[in-house]
Amino acid sequence: MLRPSWNDQTGKSLERTYEVRVGHARVRVQSASPAEAITQARARFCIDMPRMWDVIHSLEMNRFDVRVIESP
Amino acid sequence: MTSQIRKLPPELSGVQVEMEEHAANYGLDFFPTIFEIVDVNQLNSIAAYGGFPTRYPHWRFGMAYEKLAKGYAYGLQKIYEMVINNDPCYAYLLDSNSITDHRMVIAHVYGHCDFFKHNYWFSQTNRKMIDEMANHGNRIRRYMDRFGTETVELFIDACLSIDDLIDIHSPFIKRSSEASRYQFKANTDVEADVPAEDRFRAKSYMDAYINPKSTAQDSPGHSADAQDDNPPASFPNEPTRDVMAFLLNHAPLAPWQQDVLSIIRDEAYYFAPQGQTKIMNEGWATFWHSTIMTRHGICNGGDVIDYADHTSGTLASSPTRLNPYKLGLDLFRDIEDRWNRGCFGREFEECDEYESQRTWNTGVGKGREKIFEVRRIHNDLTFIDEFLTLDFCRRHNMFSFGYNDESGYYELESRKFQEIKQRLLFSLTNMGRPMIHVKDGNYKNRGELYLEHKFNGPELKVTYARDTLEHLYRLWSRPVHIETVLEERVVILSFDGIEHELTKTKEPAGEKETIEL
């Protein structure tokens, strides 16, 4: 499901800051939904840990722990 | 060897099964692999024999053993394992290794076995070499019984002095038919007088009766007439790089000598791909043992220390020596990372912003696929040429060094990428050995052998060249010459059976001045 990242009526961003954790690794990302946050976090983890690219790439969504840090 | 080689104990069999499963799950594919456990003396003696305990006897294996044994006793070196390119693969494990070492070594072995099976440069090697080596050993022992150990060993010495003068690409290019490769009578001690096509099949002890000399001379196909009508011309028609094959076909050798020379040549071809792929092969095996161990092989904190300790020793860099394990591993990791992030292709190459290139990521994820492709088709030379990039060179602080005659020290020569890469490629071309070919087998129409060294920078070491010429004379039985370049001048080194001569020329066809050595 596509979710807009901007509120059309107020013009404010709907993006939140999420902290995404997997194992001991954690990263903060701005996104409009937890699913998008996981996608972004997955890409960041791949860059930060290139030797684990294949593992991170194939991790199930439920292995990521997503927490809202900051709302708009 | 005094004690028996042992099969794996149950606890290690379990480790083998586990590691094999991990390796297979990552896509490694290998011949069945037989692990045997040996003590340090056995492992050193197997290593001294190049991995083949049933090999022919020769003094140099004893020398190699002494070197390995002393290196181990003084704590200078330790062999963790040996693995043999064969179907099935054989791997020898050292019994004093800790269980963590065994896990690492077994994972490493599966990396090698996969490489042996799938790398193109190994595709023409004999996969039954363990049997073949035993066969070679039997044949040479028989010649030693018959002609004397010293006679045969001296002849082997002569053959070994030229065992790198082979054409490493010939297994992939049919330059001659299989039949013409071996027109001598291998494994017999009868004079090679009957043309191969006229011969009847016979055991060596019956050969003289079944294919008598007189029959051969009377046969219509016998070409003695050719010798009278056509005086011998220069040959070969084209320079030939396989000097050993040339000698097999043209040197005046007894049949047993031809057989020994063919054995040494076959073994040289068997070992050649290992020399051509040292960096890749070790890099690949280390890549996989590292991946498997860090993800599945470490059970407790103690294992981490053991693993890290031994891996750091294996991957240690030296400022004066290239570590093939480290360079190969780092390159494979770099390739995987680049192809995962999409750092290849025209768009990436044409991007001239450093920061954009550094953070480039298309998320294409083709890294694993790419490294399997690389392990399939490349050898060290093409591997370095293709994948050693400026960025890699910078990140790993690579430099070239050389000996400074004035200061008497090895010194850093350059940090320039092109110079470093060129130097590395030089050292890998033809496995770092000089490129030498036969130019004329009838030099000056006197049946002398004329070799040519294709000079590409490094000079021949004159002391080695002189010794090799002496050995070559023993094989050819007529004066031998080699054209090379010393101190920027073309020279011809010669040996006539008594003394050495060095002829300097300004140009290959110019006037020559002769200096007695």
Side-chain angles (χ1 to χ4, degrees), chain A residues 47 50-55, chain B residues 290 295 333 340 361 368:
Chain A
I47 297 296
R51 287 175 58 191
M52 301 295 283
W53 183 291
D54 57 319
V55 176
Chain B
S290 158
R295 295 182 187 182
R333 282 182 180 163
N340 274 335
N361 184 18
R368 198 48 62 84

Side-chain angles (χ1 to χ4, degrees), chain B residues 154-165 243-244 247 433-434 436 449 451 460-482 493-497 500:
Chain B
L154 278 172
F155 186 75
I156 292 173
D157 290 347
C159 298
L160 288 172
S161 74
I162 55 160
D163 74 344
D164 47 5
L165 301 187
V243 178
M244 295 188 94
L247 292 171
R433 309 295 170 82
I436 291 171
L449 183 64
L451 306 177
L460 291 182
K461 201 168 181 177
V462 175
T463 48
Y464 284 18
R466 287 180 58 164
D467 288 347
T468 307
L469 284 175
E470 287 174 22
H471 284 305
L472 207 50
Y473 177 85
R474 203 180 298 162
L475 297 170
W476 189 248
S477 306
R478 293 282 301 146
V480 288
H481 314 269
I482 183 165
L493 305 172
S494 306
F495 182 67
D496 62 5
H500 289 272

Side-chain angles (χ1 to χ4, degrees), chain B residues 308-340:
Chain B
D309 183 24
H310 295 156
T311 301
S312 64
T314 310
L315 296 179
S317 292
S318 155
T320 55
R321 209 174 54 179
L322 181 79
N323 183 339
Y325 293 80
K326 175 149 178 66
L327 180 60
L329 173 68
D330 286 342
L331 275 172
F332 271 118
R333 282 182 180 163
D334 187 57
I335 295 165
E336 188 181 38
D337 182 42
R338 281 172 58 199
W339 261 260
N340 274 335

